[in-house]
Amino acid sequence: MISFTCDYNEGVHPDILNKLIETNLEQMPGYGDDRFTVSAIEKIRRATACPEADVFLLVGGTQTNATVIDAVIPHYAAVIAASTGHIAVHESGAVELGGHKVITLPQHDGKMRAEDLKDYMSRFYADASWAHMAHPEMVYLSFPSEYGTIYSRRELEAIRDVCKEYELTLFVDGARLGYGLASPEADLDLPALAQLCDVFYIGGTKVGALCGEAVVFPRGNAPKHMFTIVKQHGALMAKGRLLGIQFDTLFTDDLYMRISHYAIDRAMELQEMFRDKNIPLFIQSPTNQQFPVLTAEQMNKLEGKVAYEVWDRFEDGRAVTRFATSWATPEKNIKELSKIL
Amino acid sequence: MISFTCDYNEGVHPDILNKLIETNLEQMPGYGDDRFTVSAIEKIRRATACPEADVFLLVGGTQTNATVIDAVIPHYAAVIAASTGHIAVHESGAVELGGHKVITLPQHDGKMRAEDLKDYMSRFYADASWAHMAHPEMVYLSFPSEYGTIYSRRELEAIRDVCKEYELTLFVDGARLGYGLASPEADLDLPALAQLCDVFYIGGTKVGALCGEAVVFPRGNAPKHMFTIVKQHGALMAKGRLLGIQFDTLFTDDLYMRISHYAIDRAMELQEMFRDKNIPLFIQSPTNQQFPVLTAEQMNKLEGKVAYEVWDRFEDGRAVTRFATSWATPEKNIKELSKIL
Amino acid sequence: MISFTCDYNEGVHPDILNKLIETNLEQMPGYGDDRFTVSAIEKIRRATACPEADVFLLVGGTQTNATVIDAVIPHYAAVIAASTGHIAVHESGAVELGGHKVITLPQHDGKMRAEDLKDYMSRFYADASWAHMAHPEMVYLSFPSEYGTIYSRRELEAIRDVCKEYELTLFVDGARLGYGLASPEADLDLPALAQLCDVFYIGGTKVGALCGEAVVFPRGNAPKHMFTIVKQHGALMAKGRLLGIQFDTLFTDDLYMRISHYAIDRAMELQEMFRDKNIPLFIQSPTNQQFPVLTAEQMNKLEGKVAYEVWDRFEDGRAVTRFATSWATPEKNIKELSKIL
Amino acid sequence: MISFTCDYNEGVHPDILNKLIETNLEQMPGYGDDRFTVSAIEKIRRATACPEADVFLLVGGTQTNATVIDAVIPHYAAVIAASTGHIAVHESGAVELGGHKVITLPQHDGKMRAEDLKDYMSRFYADASWAHMAHPEMVYLSFPSEYGTIYSRRELEAIRDVCKEYELTLFVDGARLGYGLASPEADLDLPALAQLCDVFYIGGTKVGALCGEAVVFPRGNAPKHMFTIVKQHGALMAKGRLLGIQFDTLFTDDLYMRISHYAIDRAMELQEMFRDKNIPLFIQSPTNQQFPVLTAEQMNKLEGKVAYEVWDRFEDGRAVTRFATSWATPEKNIKELSKIL
């Protein structure tokens, strides 16, 4: 059986595995003081063109979102997200556990619009009782979004401008960042993204690593005691080498972007194949997640041969499904899928 | 340079590394649904003789303590620990971040005494204003303690009895559990420990793994929505296979206890060597951490050749130091150290 | 200038004031041990026909909502409210500060519908990733709602049934409870309400008192250490006599319902007057808040003579306004308003 | 029976009661926008000689401590208190509920010493693992302390200096502030205290009011959204007039200090009387709480005639007791007590 179920069903990229093997018997200090973490941070500074950046290597996505939000905004403050935002839907209330309300705006193919944000903020302060309402101090975006779509430079600039106007910190969740930046539609690279936001993270778990998310404060703007905050949120790995080695390898010889491009190439092949077969796409996703609407008959054909996720079922038997590619998707799997369909 | 600095300065046990290599190209479901996690849980149930146990694989120690405490006791409740307890000192206030006061009792070589606990609880309820005080509902112990000492069966039974009398949940932090159970002084094994407490965890990070702590609710007594609680606390690993493979290997052919015994053998050699050289031990630790009091002269000899931790400095130039062994400490390192001293 | 701005712009009912004067020089124990609090609790038990009820006197509405929710559901759990629910909009994120997500359902004239609730819960458990979502364990209703509407017995029973099916605690915010029960449309009384929900509170602040909300757990079902929880949430009044005297008076000779009926009589006069003048009502509210849609011309007439709240402005210059009556609204004020309009 | 049990067993000062009566039928805006609150704030600014002060009127002491601490320091930060500090002992863990560890230092007659604080902070940063420990960012003092003692100007300056050195906010809990400042031993007045700390509160509940604590940020240094924070913590009173009228009256014609002096005069009479009768005082308290050590025989004499608190019992039958005076203690009660003893 071949699987397009998710981009975290894979192991680790072989280059990383080799480095783990090679260094396994070496003793290294813990908590991020190992030489690989130090080197990874330096390489991330270069890749983002942010020589002053503060970089922290955390373990997982929900943890990173909860920790960053709680670190950056005051305890009383709220964060604004699209209604489909990961923090609003699929993190079990982790952000609220930290005390912060998640205010949701309408989503458009998984994205927040600058106009909606501006509208919310201007109505907020126009409301005589705004001081009785949760006070928004951060905007959370995911790039790519949960629906695989990405923000254009212009869209991000517009959101950034509203953030500046209303003193909102702009935080970008990059759990699948590589797949977003490698998209043929992307008009942004890592340095451009870093310029546009106040804090973001470079997802490792879904892009070649076993675990790990690299949080970047581009202008050295991390909260003063960020290390303590990370530790307090249970996000500090004792054997920091595991994260250091992974990110050091991912940011050596541009591996992170190379494998991201590979995954996107496979996704575009998938997309083309669905189009060729007149299978409609629920969302026009330019990244590694594709959302074909399959008929019951088509799903029957795949039964026991191809794995994927079902997102929603229509009454007529059709379903919105998700097919994800990754750095590890063999080219032949797409051909195989094509034959079966 | 040889290092006795800490038991988390090592890589991963070769058996685990081999299994990671072997399975790397396999696709597996995330979030603990992979076959290795399923198998690891089954093996832990057998090793603890708790066929009904609920087992959860989390990532790190502070995270596990904060998550378990917040999961098991109500939001308003407090937890009692020895004043040297890890949650009281070295977790950056992670337990308090979850809303829970940590009440401290005197430590005796790192351990809590049943009498002190009973005394605290009886005074608590004798105080007319007890309802105005933080309400203790859990006892936190570490086995071994932060000073390397361990509880005897009788000591644990006595604490357990006080817990029952005052309706306190007994939680054992086993970050170094293997090293505690493998101690020549231990009169407990895993099944006995599991009988005595309400929840405990089997530390992986310091005992052969890269990361991972296995939380065990021995009598199937996990809170109803523990999976959601783990996720909400940022402690759910997307690629659960990393934890599953590690614990499955550690609990295959008794690897966990075998490598723990190996580390303890090295620690006993260290202890004997210090005694032979008339180097006093600050605490009589029967586990993998040894605390020799070194003179300035001795420390000079070690300079640049042997790494270790300094815990406290006396005015006369002597210092309490910590030497830790692990599953990875070569026998020759102890001989080498002996020569240098 | 006469004012219909809000029902908390008044002082305290004269009967309460007299009792405060009468008892002022008496010494009484604090924290709710005074004889008036004891008596008030007994009277509330009788008025609700719940002889086993646990009753706690807290100070204000937001505080009461946050305390009750945090006391009753576990730290990880979420609460479901209508999108216009007070906890969802006008409590500055107090519930989230306690760690709990507020999930919102569509509002219908300020009310939640049982069908929407059932639909949400059945979709929730049908979602394969429900364990990754905030887990709902409570339903929050306000009676009357923020729009002045009330639930019929049948509507409440339907919601109660869904709650039972999905193990949701039913909590009713009764900040204006008297005005709801005194409505000509109400088919419920205090004992009936108490039967239908798991916990509710009888609002004092807006119904005759200076402050104070009486939380009722009808079947003696308060959390075990509720007193400590109340104290910990800063909701325990040292001079509990202030709350005791107020509720004891309000529940003597049916004062609470008598003054509620008085306010409703005035509100019905208002409603009739608006209808007579062909002033449309934005919502058909059967309680003490009325929502006439006024023209710019009408608002000009009121300028400097009558105070009220503006809720929303239309582009054509008209506005949705709120006129609130209370136990203290003089009959002549309505006549005066009628003349001005 | 006459009572010296506590200073919150009284009603409200007659001047306040009269003002409540006088204004009861007036309509006033809520949430602190009434003219009395506005006036009270202005008078407090004058009384503290802080024309720029931000002043907020909250309801009770535990609430005020929890709200101020959570408002002023970041979510991750800890607060340092004497081991007998109210927040450390008698607030049910309210500060921890907000996420903040309370670090305790030794108490000396209920007070913290600057040397101990400096020692703690210098050891903290000397510890190699300080970043793994809860990060202290505030010092909490009570004036007078829980044992009735007060800080001299020199003592407070010394603590203030350590706070400046280590970037700690200095917060003074003034639940009984009037009684402290009116003490014959006090060498501070309100303006001097305001100069020395970053935030403090003027206790109303125990000094003439029914409820109410006035939080003062002397240099306009309140957090930006303090109103929202107060609301979110359930500490905003809807009928703010109740607080406004009380503090406006207390700060009219120096009432607050006049009644405080009255209470201290009574306390000094008590003290003298105990000395005359050779009854030892457990602590030399210069304020309204006196702590005579009574014999079993003496307590028998008081049985049924005089009420007081027992703090601790010795094995020989003697007990440390507390006798509190207040603005409402009749002079004759002391004479009566003297006769009985």
Side-chain angles (χ1 to χ4, degrees):
Chain A
M1 182 141 97
I2 62 180
S3 169
F4 294 94
T5 311
C6 197
D7 35 19
Y8 50 73
N9 289 352
E10 314 295 338
V12 68
H13 190 277
D15 289 7
I16 294 175
L17 189 59
N18 287 336
K19 191 59 86 177
L20 287 171
I21 296 167
E22 200 178 286
T23 59
N24 191 49
L25 295 179
E26 218 177 294
Q27 285 186 317
M28 297 184 207
Y31 302 123
D33 287 336
D34 64 285
R35 63 191 168 92
F36 288 100
T37 298
V38 172
S39 164
I41 290 173
E42 211 38 65
K43 288 175 182 170
I44 287 171
R45 283 179 180 144
R46 277 203 295 276
T48 57
C50 294
E52 308 294 326
D54 294 319
V55 181
F56 296 86
L57 305 185
L58 276 63
V59 181
T62 294
Q63 177 191 81
T64 300
N65 286 330
T67 303
V68 168
I69 292 169
D70 201 37
V72 170
I73 58 174
H75 195 193
Y76 69 86
V79 52
I80 303 177
S83 63
T84 44
H86 206 257
I87 59 166
V89 184
H90 282 118
E91 302 197 347
S92 304
V95 174
E96 290 87 352
L97 189 74
H100 311 284
K101 188 182 187 77
V102 180
I103 295 166
T104 53
L105 297 184
Q107 59 87 12
H108 306 274
D109 287 347
K111 296 195 292 179
M112 179 192 296
R113 282 195 186 147
E115 308 88 280
D116 289 342
L117 179 62
K118 192 174 170 68
D119 186 56
Y120 181 83
M121 290 308 301
S122 63
R123 280 167 179 272
F124 179 83
Y125 284 115
D127 188 325
S129 56
W130 68 262
H132 295 254
M133 294 158 71
H135 195 259
E137 307 206 357
M138 178 182 261
V139 165
Y140 164 94
L141 304 179
S142 34
F143 186 100
S145 78
E146 291 69 19
Y147 284 179
T149 52
I150 57 172
Y151 293 85
S152 69
R153 179 191 290 262
R154 183 164 297 186
E155 287 171 335
L156 267 188
E157 283 171 352
I159 288 172
R160 191 262 328 259
D161 290 348
V162 183
C163 287
K164 283 216 184 301
E165 185 179 350
Y166 290 103
E167 296 183 24
L168 302 162
T169 299
L170 181 54
F171 170 38
V172 174
D173 169 341
R176 294 185 169 97
L177 189 60
Y179 302 140
L181 296 174
S183 164
E185 285 191 13
D187 60 358
L188 281 167
D189 55 9
L190 259 180
L193 182 78
Q195 286 306 311
L196 284 168
C197 64
D198 297 303
V199 51
F200 69 101
Y201 72 92
I202 303 170
T205 306
K206 289 169 177 166
V207 191
L210 278 168
C211 60
E213 320 292 320
V215 178
V216 182
F217 293 90
R219 290 165 288 283
N221 54 324
K224 197 172 179 188
H225 293 288
M226 189 65 193
F227 180 92
T228 298
I229 296 170
V230 169
K231 167 88 179 187
Q232 193 186 33
H233 284 76
L236 184 68
M237 198 168 247
K239 293 189 174 174
R241 64 198 285 160
L242 174 57
L243 301 173
I245 288 167
Q246 292 185 97
F247 276 100
D248 188 59
T249 307
L250 286 171
F251 281 84
T252 298
D253 298 336
D254 206 26
L255 180 64
Y256 189 74
M257 287 312 301
R258 281 192 285 125
I259 63 178
S260 294
H261 276 290
Y262 175 90
I264 292 301
D265 289 347
R266 299 295 79 70
M268 294 304 106
E269 288 168 12
L270 264 185
Q271 199 178 85
E272 207 182 315
M273 188 262 288
F274 290 132
R275 285 213 180 100
D276 287 350
K277 292 183 189 293
N278 288 317
I279 293 172
L281 296 168
F282 187 68
I283 293 158
Q284 298 308 316
S285 160
T287 62
N288 77 314
Q289 302 181 79
Q290 297 296 320
F291 301 91
V293 181
L294 300 183
T295 62
E297 194 190 2
Q298 287 163 334
M299 291 187 280
N300 280 339
K301 284 185 197 164
L302 300 179
E303 185 74 32
K305 293 175 191 154
V306 180
Y308 55 91
E309 266 194 14
V310 174
W311 272 35
D312 207 4
R313 288 182 189 282
F314 297 142
E315 299 210 343
D316 62 6
R318 291 182 310 148
V320 178
T321 64
R322 184 181 74 168
F323 285 68
T325 66
S326 80
W327 60 272
T329 308
E331 297 186 46
K332 66 177 171 54
N333 281 12
I334 287 138
K335 286 174 193 135
E336 184 71 16
L337 170 64
S338 177
K339 274 185 221 154
I340 300 171
L341 275 176
Chain B
M1 182 141 97
I2 61 180
S3 170
F4 294 94
T5 311
C6 197
D7 36 19
Y8 50 74
N9 289 353
E10 314 295 339
V12 67
H13 191 277
D15 289 7
I16 294 175
L17 189 60
N18 287 336
K19 190 59 86 176
L20 287 172
I21 295 167
E22 199 179 289
T23 59
N24 189 49
L25 294 179
E26 216 177 297
Q27 286 186 316
M28 297 183 208
Y31 302 123
D33 286 337
D34 64 285
R35 61 191 168 90
F36 287 100
T37 298
V38 172
S39 164
I41 290 173
E42 211 38 65
K43 288 176 182 169
I44 287 171
R45 283 178 179 144
R46 276 202 296 273
T48 56
C50 294
E52 308 294 326
D54 293 318
V55 181
F56 296 86
L57 305 185
L58 277 63
V59 181
T62 294
Q63 176 191 81
T64 300
N65 286 331
T67 303
V68 167
I69 292 170
D70 201 37
V72 169
I73 58 174
H75 195 193
Y76 69 85
V79 53
I80 301 177
S83 63
T84 44
H86 206 257
I87 59 167
V89 183
H90 282 119
E91 302 196 347
S92 303
V95 173
E96 290 88 352
L97 190 76
H100 310 283
K101 189 182 186 76
V102 179
I103 296 165
T104 53
L105 298 184
Q107 59 88 13
H108 306 275
D109 288 348
K111 298 194 290 179
M112 179 192 296
R113 282 197 185 145
E115 309 86 280
D116 290 341
L117 179 62
K118 191 173 170 71
D119 186 54
Y120 181 84
M121 291 308 301
S122 63
R123 279 166 179 274
F124 179 83
Y125 285 115
D127 188 325
S129 57
W130 68 264
H132 295 253
M133 294 159 71
H135 195 258
E137 306 206 357
M138 179 183 260
V139 166
Y140 164 95
L141 304 179
S142 34
F143 187 100
S145 78
E146 291 70 19
Y147 285 178
T149 50
I150 57 172
Y151 292 85
S152 69
R153 179 191 290 261
R154 183 165 296 185
E155 286 171 334
L156 267 187
E157 284 171 350
I159 289 173
R160 190 262 330 258
D161 290 348
V162 183
C163 287
K164 283 216 184 303
E165 184 179 351
Y166 290 102
E167 296 183 24
L168 301 162
T169 299
L170 181 53
F171 169 38
V172 175
D173 170 340
R176 295 186 169 97
L177 188 59
Y179 301 140
L181 297 174
S183 164
E185 283 190 14
D187 60 356
L188 281 167
D189 55 9
L190 260 179
L193 181 79
Q195 285 307 311
L196 283 169
C197 65
D198 297 301
V199 52
F200 69 101
Y201 71 92
I202 303 170
T205 305
K206 290 169 176 165
V207 191
L210 279 168
C211 61
E213 319 294 319
V215 178
V216 182
F217 293 91
R219 288 164 290 283
N221 53 322
K224 198 172 178 189
H225 293 288
M226 189 66 194
F227 180 92
T228 297
I229 295 171
V230 170
K231 167 91 180 183
Q232 192 185 34
H233 284 76
L236 184 68
M237 196 167 249
K239 294 188 174 175
R241 62 198 286 160
L242 174 57
L243 301 173
I245 289 168
Q246 292 186 97
F247 276 100
D248 188 59
T249 308
L250 287 171
F251 281 84
T252 298
D253 297 336
D254 206 27
L255 180 64
Y256 188 76
M257 287 312 301
R258 280 192 287 122
I259 64 178
S260 295
H261 276 290
Y262 175 88
I264 292 302
D265 289 348
R266 300 293 79 70
M268 294 304 106
E269 288 168 12
L270 264 185
Q271 199 179 84
E272 207 181 315
M273 188 262 287
F274 290 131
R275 287 215 178 99
D276 287 351
K277 292 184 189 292
N278 289 316
I279 293 171
L281 296 169
F282 188 69
I283 292 157
Q284 299 308 316
S285 160
T287 61
N288 77 314
Q289 303 180 81
Q290 296 297 319
F291 303 89
V293 181
L294 300 183
T295 62
E297 192 190 4
Q298 288 162 334
M299 290 188 279
N300 280 340
K301 285 186 196 165
L302 300 180
E303 185 74 34
K305 294 176 189 150
V306 179
Y308 55 93
E309 267 192 13
V310 174
W311 273 34
D312 206 5
R313 288 183 190 280
F314 297 141
E315 300 209 343
D316 62 6
R318 292 183 308 147
V320 179
T321 64
R322 185 182 72 168
F323 285 69
T325 65
S326 79
W327 59 273
T329 306
E331 295 186 47
K332 67 178 169 55
N333 282 12
I334 287 137
K335 286 175 192 133
E336 184 71 17
L337 170 65
S338 178
K339 275 184 220 152
I340 299 171
L341 276 175
Chain C
M1 183 139 98
I2 62 181
S3 170
F4 293 94
T5 311
C6 198
D7 35 18
Y8 51 72
N9 290 353
E10 314 294 341
V12 67
H13 190 279
D15 288 8
I16 295 176
L17 189 59
N18 287 336
K19 190 58 85 174
L20 286 172
I21 296 166
E22 199 179 290
T23 58
N24 190 48
L25 294 179
E26 216 176 297
Q27 286 186 314
M28 297 184 206
Y31 302 123
D33 287 337
D34 64 286
R35 62 192 167 91
F36 287 100
T37 298
V38 172
S39 164
I41 290 173
E42 211 40 63
K43 287 176 182 170
I44 288 171
R45 283 178 181 145
R46 277 202 295 274
T48 56
C50 294
E52 308 294 325
D54 294 319
V55 181
F56 296 86
L57 305 185
L58 277 62
V59 181
T62 293
Q63 176 190 82
T64 300
N65 285 330
T67 303
V68 168
I69 292 169
D70 201 37
V72 169
I73 59 175
H75 196 194
Y76 69 86
V79 53
I80 302 176
S83 62
T84 43
H86 206 257
I87 59 166
V89 183
H90 282 119
E91 302 196 348
S92 303
V95 174
E96 289 89 353
L97 190 75
H100 310 283
K101 190 183 186 76
V102 179
I103 295 165
T104 52
L105 298 183
Q107 59 87 13
H108 306 274
D109 289 347
K111 297 194 291 178
M112 179 192 296
R113 280 194 186 148
E115 308 89 278
D116 289 341
L117 179 62
K118 190 174 172 70
D119 187 54
Y120 181 83
M121 291 308 300
S122 63
R123 279 166 178 272
F124 179 83
Y125 284 115
D127 188 325
S129 57
W130 68 263
H132 295 253
M133 295 159 70
H135 196 258
E137 307 206 356
M138 178 183 261
V139 166
Y140 164 94
L141 304 178
S142 34
F143 187 99
S145 78
E146 292 69 20
Y147 285 179
T149 52
I150 57 172
Y151 292 86
S152 69
R153 179 191 290 261
R154 183 164 296 185
E155 286 171 334
L156 267 187
E157 284 171 350
I159 289 173
R160 190 263 327 260
D161 290 349
V162 183
C163 287
K164 281 215 184 306
E165 185 179 351
Y166 290 101
E167 296 183 24
L168 302 161
T169 298
L170 181 54
F171 169 38
V172 175
D173 169 341
R176 293 185 170 100
L177 189 60
Y179 302 141
L181 297 174
S183 164
E185 284 190 14
D187 60 358
L188 281 165
D189 56 9
L190 259 180
L193 181 79
Q195 285 308 310
L196 283 169
C197 63
D198 297 302
V199 51
F200 69 101
Y201 71 91
I202 303 170
T205 306
K206 289 169 177 167
V207 191
L210 278 169
C211 60
E213 319 293 320
V215 178
V216 182
F217 293 90
R219 287 165 290 283
N221 54 323
K224 197 172 178 189
H225 294 288
M226 189 66 194
F227 180 92
T228 297
I229 296 170
V230 169
K231 166 89 181 186
Q232 193 187 32
H233 283 77
L236 184 68
M237 197 168 249
K239 293 188 174 173
R241 63 198 284 161
L242 173 57
L243 300 173
I245 288 167
Q246 292 184 97
F247 276 100
D248 188 60
T249 308
L250 286 171
F251 282 84
T252 298
D253 298 335
D254 206 27
L255 179 64
Y256 188 74
M257 286 313 301
R258 280 192 286 123
I259 64 178
S260 296
H261 277 290
Y262 175 89
I264 292 302
D265 288 348
R266 300 293 80 69
M268 294 304 106
E269 288 168 12
L270 264 184
Q271 198 179 85
E272 207 182 315
M273 188 263 285
F274 291 130
R275 286 216 178 96
D276 287 351
K277 292 184 188 293
N278 288 317
I279 294 172
L281 296 169
F282 187 69
I283 293 157
Q284 299 307 316
S285 160
T287 61
N288 77 314
Q289 303 180 80
Q290 296 297 319
F291 302 90
V293 182
L294 299 183
T295 62
E297 193 190 4
Q298 287 163 334
M299 290 187 281
N300 280 339
K301 284 186 196 165
L302 300 180
E303 186 73 33
K305 293 177 190 153
V306 179
Y308 56 92
E309 268 193 13
V310 174
W311 274 34
D312 206 4
R313 287 182 190 281
F314 298 142
E315 300 209 344
D316 62 5
R318 291 183 308 149
V320 178
T321 64
R322 184 182 74 169
F323 286 68
T325 65
S326 79
W327 59 273
T329 307
E331 295 186 46
K332 68 176 170 53
N333 282 11
I334 287 138
K335 285 177 192 130
E336 184 69 17
L337 170 64
S338 177
K339 273 186 221 152
I340 299 171
L341 276 175
Chain D
M1 182 141 95
I2 62 181
S3 171
F4 293 94
T5 310
C6 197
D7 35 20
Y8 50 74
N9 289 352
E10 313 295 339
V12 68
H13 190 277
D15 288 8
I16 295 176
L17 189 59
N18 287 336
K19 189 60 83 175
L20 287 172
I21 295 165
E22 200 178 288
T23 60
N24 190 48
L25 294 179
E26 217 176 295
Q27 284 185 317
M28 297 184 208
Y31 302 123
D33 286 336
D34 64 285
R35 62 191 169 92
F36 287 101
T37 297
V38 172
S39 163
I41 290 173
E42 212 38 65
K43 287 176 183 170
I44 287 171
R45 283 179 180 143
R46 276 202 296 274
T48 56
C50 294
E52 309 293 326
D54 294 319
V55 181
F56 296 86
L57 306 185
L58 278 63
V59 181
T62 293
Q63 177 191 81
T64 300
N65 285 330
T67 303
V68 168
I69 292 170
D70 201 37
V72 169
I73 58 174
H75 196 192
Y76 68 85
V79 54
I80 302 177
S83 63
T84 44
H86 207 256
I87 59 167
V89 184
H90 283 119
E91 302 196 349
S92 304
V95 174
E96 290 88 352
L97 189 75
H100 310 283
K101 187 181 187 78
V102 180
I103 295 165
T104 53
L105 297 183
Q107 58 88 13
H108 306 275
D109 288 347
K111 297 195 291 180
M112 180 191 297
R113 282 196 185 148
E115 309 87 280
D116 290 341
L117 180 61
K118 191 173 170 71
D119 187 55
Y120 181 84
M121 291 308 301
S122 62
R123 278 165 180 274
F124 180 82
Y125 284 115
D127 188 325
S129 57
W130 68 263
H132 295 254
M133 292 158 70
H135 195 258
E137 306 205 358
M138 179 182 260
V139 166
Y140 163 95
L141 303 179
S142 33
F143 187 101
S145 77
E146 292 69 18
Y147 284 179
T149 52
I150 57 172
Y151 293 85
S152 69
R153 179 191 289 260
R154 182 162 298 185
E155 287 170 334
L156 267 188
E157 284 172 349
I159 289 173
R160 191 263 328 261
D161 290 348
V162 183
C163 288
K164 284 216 183 302
E165 184 179 351
Y166 290 101
E167 297 183 25
L168 302 162
T169 299
L170 181 53
F171 169 38
V172 175
D173 169 341
R176 294 185 169 98
L177 188 59
Y179 301 140
L181 297 174
S183 164
E185 284 191 14
D187 59 359
L188 281 166
D189 56 9
L190 259 180
L193 181 79
Q195 285 309 310
L196 284 168
C197 64
D198 298 301
V199 51
F200 69 101
Y201 71 91
I202 303 170
T205 306
K206 290 169 176 165
V207 192
L210 278 169
C211 60
E213 319 293 320
V215 178
V216 182
F217 294 90
R219 290 165 288 282
N221 54 323
K224 198 172 178 188
H225 293 288
M226 189 65 194
F227 181 91
T228 297
I229 296 170
V230 169
K231 167 88 179 188
Q232 192 185 33
H233 284 77
L236 183 68
M237 197 168 248
K239 294 189 174 174
R241 65 199 284 159
L242 174 58
L243 300 173
I245 288 167
Q246 292 186 97
F247 276 100
D248 189 58
T249 307
L250 286 171
F251 281 84
T252 299
D253 298 336
D254 206 27
L255 179 64
Y256 188 74
M257 287 311 301
R258 280 193 286 123
I259 63 178
S260 294
H261 276 289
Y262 176 88
I264 292 301
D265 288 348
R266 299 295 79 70
M268 294 304 105
E269 288 168 12
L270 264 185
Q271 198 178 85
E272 206 181 315
M273 188 262 287
F274 289 131
R275 285 213 180 100
D276 288 350
K277 292 183 187 293
N278 289 316
I279 293 172
L281 296 168
F282 187 68
I283 293 158
Q284 298 309 315
S285 160
T287 61
N288 77 314
Q289 302 180 81
Q290 296 297 319
F291 302 90
V293 181
L294 299 183
T295 62
E297 193 191 3
Q298 287 163 335
M299 291 187 280
N300 279 339
K301 285 185 194 164
L302 300 179
E303 186 73 34
K305 294 176 190 152
V306 179
Y308 55 92
E309 267 194 13
V310 174
W311 273 34
D312 206 4
R313 288 182 190 280
F314 297 141
E315 299 210 343
D316 62 6
R318 292 182 308 147
V320 178
T321 64
R322 184 181 74 169
F323 286 68
T325 65
S326 80
W327 59 272
T329 307
E331 295 186 46
K332 67 178 170 56
N333 282 11
I334 287 138
K335 285 175 193 135
E336 183 71 18
L337 169 65
S338 177
K339 272 185 223 154
I340 299 170
L341 274 176

